[in-house]
Amino acid sequence: MYKHDVLIIGAGLAGLRAAVEATRLGLDVAVISKVHPVRSHSNAAQGGINAPLTDRGDDWEGHALDTIKGSDYLADQDAVEIMSSEAGDAVIELERMGVIFSRGEDGRLGTRRFGGQLVARTFFVGAITGSAILHVLYEQALKHGLNTYEEWFVTDLIVEDGRCVGVVALDVKTGELHSIWAKAVIMAAGGAGRVFEPSTNAIICTGDGLALAWRAGVPMMDMEMVQYHPTTLARTGILLSEAARGEGAHLLNSEGERFMLRYAPQYEELASRDVVSRAEQTEINEGRGIEGNVLLDLRHLGREFIEDRLGYLQEVSVEFLGIDLAEQPVPVRPGVHYIMGGIKTDVDGATIVPGLYAAGECANVSVHGANRLGANSLLDTVVFGRRSAVHAADYIKSVDAGSGSDEHLNETKSRIQSLLDRAPNENWAAVRNFMANEMTKGIGVFRDQRSMEGAKAAIDNVDERINKISVQNKGKVFNTDLIFTLEMEFMADVGKAVVHSALARKESRGAHFRTDITERDDENWLKHTLAYQDADN
Amino acid sequence: MKFAFYPGCVARGAGPELFDSAVAVMDRLGIEWVELTGAACTGAGVLQEKDQKLGDILNIRTLAMAEQLGLPVLTICSTCQGVMSQADRRVRRDADYLEEINSYLAEEGLSYSGNTTVKHLLWVLVEDIGVETLQKTFVKELSGVNLAPFYGCYIVRPSDALGFDEHPERQTSLETVIEAVGGTVVDFPGKTACCGFPILLINQRNSLRMVANHTGTASELGADAMVTPCPLCHLNLDGYQPKARRQNNRGKADLPIIHLPQLLGLVMGIDTKTLGLGKHLVNTRDIVRKVDSIPVG
Amino acid sequence: MQAKLKVSRFDPETMGQGQRRWDEFELDVHPSATVLDALIQIREEVDGTLSLRCACRASICGSCGMRVNGDAKLVCKTRIVDTFKDGETIVVEPMGNQAIIKDLVVSLDPFFDKVRQVDPYLQPDAEPDQGEFVASNDSMVNLLTAMNCIMCGACVSDCTVLEVDEAFIGPAALAKAWRFVEDPRDDQRDERLKELNDVEGGIWDCTRCFKCVEVCPKDVAPMDRIMEMRDMAIEAGNTNTPGYRHTESFNKSVKKHGRLDEARLAVESAGYTNVPRLIDLAEIGIRSTLKGKMPPIVPHKADDKEKITRIFERVESERK
């Protein structure tokens, strides 16, 4: 039996930042992750991390205001205040841990501009900021001798007497199930982009954390708020960072027009993501696209600049499309990228289930509201990852460990056995691909009652099929077929929450833009949607 | 066909049989050559560890000497090929750097402008002479002889310095030559790996494990001999094979290591003494006997 | 577009260690599909028992290192159309030098043990009173070379030294070490260099074979980093190694004669006081002499040796 003070699910930025904090506080901490920590999807964050650094003339109020405006006023202002005011220390701390942030002439941290903000306050490492921070946090984890369960897949949360006291998890390498007990569990399991197709998200972003918490009774909040990133690479859906536009790249339609000058004369290409994605989609819908894409043009930035500051963008454009950014504009389109919605928490990461915390993309504090500003996600992870750990450390002082009973473990064992015993029928991939395509169709950049009902019908269909999915691989060792089937169940839960939340919100706000109700309705809808598992909406 | 000949230190030092066999073979092929007797050692990557620029100056100097003669460089050493190609690539990519390097050569009245190339004999055989013409110089065909290729690292990596884009045939040139002489290629994973020579004097245990693995595996796969265009590989695979195989329990040292020109010499009917086949530490008697038993014609 | 794949399979529950099976698949793939796309297609549509690791599909997470037609690659960035001849069979195997867990999945434990071995975290003596460390942008851009490493294991897979010696720290971990040695904010530079110089499997064990440079999908060029650390270690006063003596002797020979003096190189690398090693060299020397190929006692010299010496002197004086 495994036992810790605090167990953190997920080893991306939020998880590792929480782990480092909890370790510093002297707790017995462990991180459990279905992939090795350095494989986490935080890697994919490219452009940077926002922070208003007061010692160089910026102020947190400015950042907070931009964030709230960007959120279309749905973000909670107290939460945003905390994030903005703690941002400076958070970034400086990362630098001191070893992050190789880009510098100015004076040797101090340099910035670039990002969308939805008129001030340059985004700190960055080329176009690999997420990866560079993740690896440094992993270094810190190694330094502190952090316990890790690498390639362990959490199947269930253990809830006893209304408190979360641990997890049941599958050791992927051996195929054995185990209970891991902890006085507090911090959910930092990342996003759910795979509920949609295409998406910039990794194959591992299947909403596990969201679904696990949901099943434990925590509501998912604002799940209709799905961010479409304006610049994802044609066909592959790979992200091309907003940093490109932050550094001066233009968006062009088929007529060579910089169309953003029409849609957002003040912010131009750096309007908030919902605005830019809608503009692109409008251009495409009105026949000024190029095979379903618009063009991102970096040519005027020059080869040297592109390779120095946006090297990774050049790498993926060349490798995946054969396009040299210094020579040719690259076709891009809006693509599912991030989910503003998530496990409802307070500003300390606490959920309504005692002992269960959440941070990072799976959580909704809410600081992003209806639209997240670029480079605020990394900030969110480190600020609220840390706060969750601090609060959890306090919480565990007054609680006992769970029972240690094998009951939960045995339940999971028999559930998984029955899954393996199912007669051949549905295949998880077919169900996933069907659902994800339908979700993108129904809950798109633009949506209306009919499209959303279409997505709901798809989810209902998935509901019927999901219990017929059979696992072809009956073995124990590295049975990814089984893992994907369990992930499919998580994705179906998330899809359900998204569809019901979207249908509930009878207005347009941020990423939730209804062509049948185009106005924001502050009188009735300046509020969050909450989706519970039991109730149907 | 005329070249500025750069034999490399080993062919002029510890491996005289390579120089002698190469010269004999080039004569048969009608290759004219003038030796760059004033050229320096390429540095073999060792000099470059300490000072890459110094290495580049020496190698660009060699290229400049050839350029002055209006000739391409011909080498018979994989390591020399690679090190010179790398230096050449660096100056071709960066005009300022070339200018800086040239400033060290000005005193001698030398200057490099990128108007020459460096080519291993192996590549010349495949690209400039061609298999068909090459075969016309042969007097026998090595059918039934199993030959394992061993390239040497620097003639296969880093690939972007070696012109593989324009000359993809270079990547399989050694197999092409083995087939051209009528031999059977013994393919094995070690053929493009390291022979261990660069660490022979630093970590002999590891170096000899490499020798034992490569020669042992090729033997087990039925090779009668191993052919290499790299004299440094030859030094290790031949000179240290007895000790390496003994220490690592990989059987007797039974795999002759043949320099590329020696192989050609054998099928051209050049006598074994000229080819220096008696100068190897691993006895070449069996392979020579096998070749001798094949009738001429 | 048609693609033919031959995939190495291993199931520890039904096969013995070291065994493998080859499965062949013919697929209709998108014209710009990658090898990963093809493998995912197999997994989703043909054979759900196929195990492999992958996550980001965008060459940043480092999960999908595998050997493709013999060389370690990130399969997510290996486009079929660019990499293979028309109709060529694509042979996919797990990475080398690492134990196979199942099919294309290898154990990464030794990889990360080596990373741990180099104390892979910043060790400043003190933190600034306020704000960040001040450091030049160039010094950070320099580190980007190694920070581009995504720990995919491709270099470790194909490292020719690790093939014969498990103790070698290896290209990835040494590149990681370089990242701290070169970081102006780290105060353990000399200690790190001494350790990497002295430890078994340290910087001097690399053979300079360029395999890691060739297979690295992120241009980290681990071998170049190792070579830089050799020079830095020497500069920091670590001169009691055969590696140092080898480099010095090589330099001396080329400087003096324009050529390499193999006999002296061997003796000097061993060290004049290393009697067992000298006896060993003498044995090889005597046998070579008997075969008539001992390196000449009077080394072969370049005609232009004075000119070459002058170049050395000029570069050396500029270095100081």
Side-chain angles (χ1 to χ4, degrees):
Chain A
M1 193 176 64
Y2 303 97
K3 218 171 154 180
H4 302 280
D5 291 334
V6 177
L7 180 69
I8 296 159
I9 304 174
L13 294 192
L16 288 179
R17 184 62 193 83
V20 167
E21 194 67 21
T23 309
R24 282 178 182 166
L25 294 168
L27 305 181
D28 171 3
V29 190
V31 171
I32 184 167
S33 169
K34 65 180 176 179
V35 293
H36 186 280
V38 301
R39 312 292 181 225
S40 304
H41 191 60
S42 300
N43 265 325
Q46 297 172 12
I49 178 166
N50 288 331
L53 286 190
T54 49
D55 63 350
R56 51 216 75 176
D58 202 354
D59 55 68
W60 71 260
E61 290 92 342
H63 176 251
L65 185 61
D66 286 341
T67 299
I68 290 161
K69 270 194 207 161
S71 81
D72 222 353
Y73 303 96
L74 190 62
D76 291 347
Q77 302 196 0
D78 57 335
V80 175
E81 177 177 338
I82 285 170
M83 182 172 77
S84 297
S85 54
E86 291 187 9
D89 287 347
V91 167
I92 293 297
E93 181 187 59
L94 290 173
E95 192 281 330
R96 290 178 173 199
M97 286 177 179
V99 177
I100 58 162
F101 284 117
S102 176
R103 311 275 164 156
E105 290 286 316
D106 57 357
R108 305 190 68 190
L109 301 187
T111 54
R112 62 163 52 123
R113 233 190 99 199
F114 245 62
Q117 307 175 73
L118 292 171
V119 177
R121 57 164 77 95
T122 305
F123 298 89
F124 65 99
V125 182
I128 58 160
T129 312
S131 170
I133 298 176
L134 179 68
H135 281 255
V136 168
L137 281 174
Y138 179 63
E139 291 164 5
Q140 293 297 305
L142 292 178
K143 178 180 169 184
H144 292 295
L146 182 70
N147 302 303
T148 51
Y149 297 88
E150 290 161 12
E151 301 193 309
W152 283 51
F153 181 86
V154 176
T155 60
D156 299 272
L157 295 180
I158 301 176
V159 180
E160 286 180 346
D161 305 327
R163 285 196 300 127
C164 183
V165 288
V167 306
V168 177
L170 180 76
D171 178 351
V172 179
K173 278 179 265 193
T174 63
E176 298 298 334
L177 283 158
H178 301 271
S179 314
I180 306 173
W181 298 86
K183 292 179 185 168
V185 172
I186 300 176
M187 187 64 75
R194 288 280 287 169
V195 172
F196 295 80
E197 181 68 37
S199 144
T200 62
N201 283 198
I203 287 169
I204 56 176
C205 300
T206 49
D208 309 7
L210 291 141
L212 286 166
W214 207 43
R215 293 172 190 181
V218 185
M220 292 193 222
M221 183 163 89
D222 298 334
M223 291 300 287
E224 69 279 20
M225 299 305 177
V226 177
Q227 179 163 78
Y228 281 77
H229 194 288
T231 53
T232 72
L233 203 57
R235 197 188 85 77
T236 66
I238 292 173
L239 173 67
L240 286 184
S241 172
E242 187 166 308
R245 285 171 289 135
E247 301 283 14
H250 297 154
L251 285 168
L252 307 177
N253 61 20
S254 63
E255 292 159 13
E257 180 206 8
R258 272 184 72 191
F259 57 86
M260 283 312 299
L261 303 185
R262 260 191 288 128
Y263 291 90
Q266 189 188 10
Y267 287 87
E268 303 176 345
E269 275 83 356
L270 284 178
S272 64
R273 289 178 177 174
D274 55 335
V275 174
V276 181
S277 285
R278 274 198 296 279
E280 291 179 358
Q281 198 60 51
T282 304
E283 292 299 299
I284 294 164
N285 292 350
E286 291 178 359
R288 291 184 298 277
I290 300 101
E291 294 170 358
N293 302 293
V294 294
L295 297 173
L296 180 68
D297 188 2
L298 286 79
R299 287 173 297 179
H300 53 285
L301 301 179
R303 179 177 303 283
E304 199 177 328
F305 185 89
I306 292 170
E307 282 169 3
D308 280 0
R309 308 240 315 179
L310 302 165
Y312 176 71
L313 273 66
Q314 173 77 328
E315 181 187 329
V316 296
S317 299
V318 171
E319 299 276 353
F320 293 95
L321 281 192
I323 288 180
D324 177 349
L325 296 176
E327 301 282 338
Q328 245 184 302
V330 61
V332 294
R333 63 181 175 189
V336 167
H337 178 57
Y338 185 89
I339 186 146
M340 276 70 75
I343 303 163
K344 179 179 167 29
T345 72
D346 67 14
V347 294
D348 294 311
T351 70
I352 58 167
V353 174
L356 180 61
Y357 293 77
E361 187 171 346
C362 69
N364 188 352
V365 182
S366 107
V367 288
H368 309 306
N371 173 68
R372 173 176 71 77
L373 291 189
N376 264 357
S377 60
L378 295 188
L379 180 59
D380 172 12
T381 62
V382 289
V383 167
F384 293 103
R386 188 190 73 82
R387 290 180 68 92
S388 301
V390 171
H391 197 266
D394 199 40
Y395 163 81
I396 64 167
K397 286 180 196 153
S398 57
V399 296
D400 299 324
S403 67
S405 135
D406 278 342
E407 187 191 336
H408 316 277
L409 178 63
N410 291 334
E411 266 172 37
T412 306
K413 277 184 181 167
S414 61
R415 181 166 67 89
I416 288 184
Q417 194 52 51
S418 67
L419 210 161
L420 288 166
D421 291 343
R422 270 183 211 154
N425 195 332
E426 289 281 2
N427 156 289
W428 70 266
V431 178
R432 191 317 283 189
N433 294 340
F434 165 75
M435 178 183 86
N437 283 313
E438 292 300 314
M439 286 295 288
T440 305
K441 264 189 239 163
I443 316 290
V445 174
F446 293 112
R447 49 191 79 162
D448 60 17
Q449 188 70 22
R450 224 179 108 212
S451 77
M452 292 187 286
E453 276 169 6
K456 182 176 177 300
I459 289 292
D460 292 344
N461 175 288
V462 167
D463 241 2
E464 284 170 25
R465 294 164 71 182
I466 200 149
N467 293 321
K468 296 182 199 150
I469 294 176
S470 63
V471 180
Q472 203 181 337
N473 188 354
K474 310 292 181 194
K476 279 186 169 296
V477 177
F478 229 93
N479 185 346
T480 47
D481 204 19
L482 171 63
I483 302 285
F484 296 146
T485 303
L486 296 169
E487 285 176 345
M488 182 58 229
E489 295 176 358
F490 291 146
M491 285 189 274
D493 283 355
V494 174
K496 197 177 291 178
V498 169
V499 164
H500 286 277
S501 307
L503 279 164
R505 187 176 287 278
K506 311 278 190 222
E507 64 158 354
S508 283
R509 183 183 297 272
H512 183 68
F513 192 94
R514 300 181 57 140
T515 51
D516 51 353
I517 314 174
T518 56
E519 294 301 308
R520 192 171 75 202
D521 178 2
D522 285 337
E523 205 155 307
N524 296 304
W525 283 103
L526 187 52
K527 60 186 179 190
H528 301 295
T529 58
L530 292 175
Y532 290 86
Q533 192 184 29
D534 298 335
D536 238 11
N537 45 45
Chain B
M1 206 177 298
K2 190 171 178 181
F3 291 95
F5 185 35
Y6 182 90
C9 299
V10 176
R12 283 315 220 161
E17 74 280 5
L18 171 61
F19 185 84
D20 297 342
S21 58
V23 166
V25 163
M26 289 194 293
D27 285 349
R28 292 285 179 99
L29 290 167
I31 295 176
E32 293 179 79
W33 53 275
V34 43
E35 187 177 350
L36 293 171
T37 52
C41 169
T42 63
V46 181
L47 213 69
Q48 282 77 0
E49 278 177 30
K50 196 177 159 74
D51 194 328
Q52 188 176 77
K53 189 177 85 179
L54 174 58
D56 286 347
I57 295 168
L58 299 182
N59 288 305
I60 298 306
R61 179 175 175 274
T62 303
L63 294 177
M65 291 164 82
E67 196 177 74
Q68 206 169 50
L69 296 170
L71 297 173
V73 179
L74 174 74
T75 179
I76 48 174
C77 170
S78 293
T79 305
C80 298
Q81 172 71 51
V83 176
M84 285 194 273
S85 290
Q86 291 162 33
D88 194 24
R89 176 185 56 163
R90 278 191 285 272
V91 300
R92 279 174 196 268
R93 276 186 182 173
D94 184 345
D96 294 340
Y97 185 53
L98 174 59
E99 198 177 326
E100 184 190 347
I101 299 289
N102 273 333
S103 74
Y104 291 85
L105 308 179
E107 196 180 321
E108 298 180 52
L110 287 170
S111 173
Y112 182 56
S113 52
N115 285 325
T116 191
T117 52
V118 51
K119 263 193 186 181
H120 194 286
L121 175 65
L122 176 64
W123 295 350
V124 172
L125 296 176
V126 178
E127 284 165 35
D128 299 276
I129 295 174
V131 169
E132 233 168 89
T133 314
L134 179 64
Q135 281 174 329
K136 286 183 188 143
T137 64
F138 297 167
V139 298
K140 54 176 70 177
E141 195 184 318
L142 301 190
S143 50
V145 180
N146 299 319
L147 297 168
F150 198 91
Y151 278 90
C153 297
Y154 284 40
I155 202 166
V156 287
R157 288 180 299 272
S159 56
D160 57 351
L162 295 165
F164 290 170
D165 282 348
E166 309 89 77
H167 296 286
E169 70 280 3
R170 287 179 179 176
Q171 294 175 78
T172 49
S173 48
L174 194 48
E175 286 90 335
T176 305
V177 171
I178 290 171
E179 281 164 6
V181 301
T184 305
V185 175
V186 177
D187 200 9
F188 76 113
K191 69 182 177 188
T192 57
C194 177
C195 67
F197 182 74
I199 52 165
L200 175 68
L201 302 171
I202 297 170
N203 186 333
Q204 196 189 70
R205 184 200 59 195
N206 285 357
S207 180
L208 297 196
R209 282 179 184 169
M210 291 176 187
V211 171
N213 280 352
H214 301 321
T215 57
T217 305
S219 280
E220 284 154 25
L221 291 170
D224 295 308
M226 184 177 270
V227 186
T228 182
C230 182
L232 302 181
C233 297
H234 188 276
L235 281 178
N236 222 32
L237 296 170
D238 177 55
Y240 280 84
Q241 192 182 146
K243 187 173 181 184
R245 291 182 71 171
R246 195 170 60 233
Q247 262 183 14
N248 293 287
N249 300 317
R250 292 300 292 262
K252 278 204 298 217
D254 59 355
L255 188 72
I257 312 297
I258 309 290
H259 294 288
L260 173 71
Q262 288 176 326
L263 174 69
L264 297 167
L266 282 171
V267 289
M268 289 171 173
I270 299 172
D271 68 281
T272 53
K273 189 144 191 265
T274 306
L275 296 176
L277 281 158
K279 293 186 175 176
H280 293 204
L281 287 204
V282 176
N283 207 308
T284 58
R285 188 182 50 232
D286 288 349
I287 180 79
V288 168
R289 221 177 263 161
K290 200 160 182 175
V291 174
D292 280 348
S293 71
I294 300 167
V296 171
Chain C
M1 186 174 80
Q2 286 295 115
K4 257 190 278 178
L5 282 93
K6 193 171 147 191
V7 181
S8 168
R9 304 296 302 269
F10 169 68
D11 180 356
E13 294 169 72
T14 59
M15 297 161 87
Q17 272 304 324
Q19 286 185 309
R20 64 166 69 180
R21 183 182 85 228
W22 290 99
D23 281 357
E24 294 190 25
F25 302 93
E26 286 200 38
L27 306 169
D28 193 22
V29 299
H30 189 278
S32 60
T34 61
V35 173
L36 178 61
D37 293 333
L39 291 170
I40 288 176
Q41 205 171 321
I42 292 171
R43 180 168 89 176
E44 293 193 353
E45 295 168 15
V46 187
D47 185 352
T49 68
L50 177 66
S51 297
L52 59 121
R53 290 193 183 101
C54 62
C56 76
R57 300 165 296 153
S59 73
I60 193 70
C61 79
S63 302
C64 67
M66 292 168 210
R67 269 193 181 154
V68 182
N69 290 16
D71 296 322
K73 289 190 185 297
L74 273 188
V75 290
C76 71
K77 68 185 277 187
T78 305
R79 283 213 298 180
I80 293 172
V81 68
D82 301 336
T83 318
F84 306 96
K85 289 183 220 98
D86 204 19
E88 185 181 358
T89 301
I90 302 162
V91 182
V92 187
E93 298 169 83
M95 290 194 287
N97 288 331
Q98 292 154 103
I100 303 172
I101 294 176
K102 181 171 185 295
D103 296 338
L104 301 169
V105 178
V106 297
S107 170
L108 292 168
D109 295 346
F111 180 100
F112 285 101
D113 287 346
K114 299 282 174 59
V115 170
R116 263 182 221 107
Q117 192 188 334
V118 302
D119 296 335
Y121 39 83
L122 196 68
Q123 293 180 292
D125 286 345
E127 295 204 333
D129 293 337
Q130 267 192 325
E132 70 273 40
F133 286 99
V134 175
S136 76
N137 192 50
D138 285 348
S139 69
M140 295 291 114
V141 170
N142 176 39
L143 299 181
L144 201 52
T145 327
M147 281 309 294
N148 273 321
C149 172
I150 53 174
M151 301 198 162
C152 64
C155 58
V156 164
S157 161
D158 288 12
C159 172
T160 56
V161 179
L162 281 169
E163 226 167 77
V164 298
D165 186 3
E166 287 180 358
F168 183 42
I169 298 174
L174 286 171
K176 187 80 177 167
W178 176 91
R179 173 249 172 285
F180 295 101
V181 166
E182 279 283 86
D183 194 321
R185 301 168 296 180
D186 192 272
D187 288 312
Q188 295 294 306
R189 184 176 189 274
D190 287 356
E191 291 79 355
R192 289 178 189 275
L193 285 170
K194 182 169 179 358
E195 172 68 15
L196 295 166
N197 182 77
D198 294 350
V199 72
E200 191 194 352
I203 49 178
W204 292 102
D205 278 350
C206 168
T207 64
R208 258 187 292 107
C209 78
F210 276 103
K211 271 271 190 186
C212 57
V213 177
E214 190 74 20
V215 299
C216 175
K218 304 301 280 188
D219 289 335
V220 173
M223 186 196 101
D224 293 350
R225 311 283 82 80
I226 297 168
M227 294 309 122
E228 286 172 35
M229 288 195 290
R230 284 185 180 176
D231 193 40
M232 289 189 262
I234 292 171
E235 293 292 321
N238 300 285
T239 54
N240 190 26
T241 56
Y244 165 72
R245 289 190 294 270
H246 184 249
T247 310
E248 281 306 295
S249 174
F250 201 114
N251 259 274
K252 224 163 68 183
S253 170
V254 180
K255 181 178 175 183
K256 194 167 165 200
H257 309 304
R259 293 281 167 84
L260 180 58
D261 176 359
E262 294 104 340
R264 186 150 293 115
L265 179 68
V267 172
E268 290 186 353
S269 299
Y272 285 106
T273 54
N274 185 349
V275 177
R277 193 68 188 90
L278 292 173
I279 291 172
D280 180 62
L281 285 167
E283 185 197 322
I284 300 284
I286 288 163
R287 280 201 279 143
S288 302
T289 309
L290 292 175
K291 296 278 187 177
K293 63 174 289 182
M294 182 58 192
I297 301 297
V298 181
H300 193 269
K301 300 181 176 87
D303 289 353
D304 294 350
K305 63 185 165 56
E306 290 81 10
K307 291 176 187 165
I308 293 163
T309 305
R310 264 209 303 285
I311 291 174
F312 267 79
E313 284 165 354
R314 185 172 154 197
V315 173
E316 281 165 4
S317 71
E318 286 168 0
R319 206 185 294 152
K320 284 161 200 157

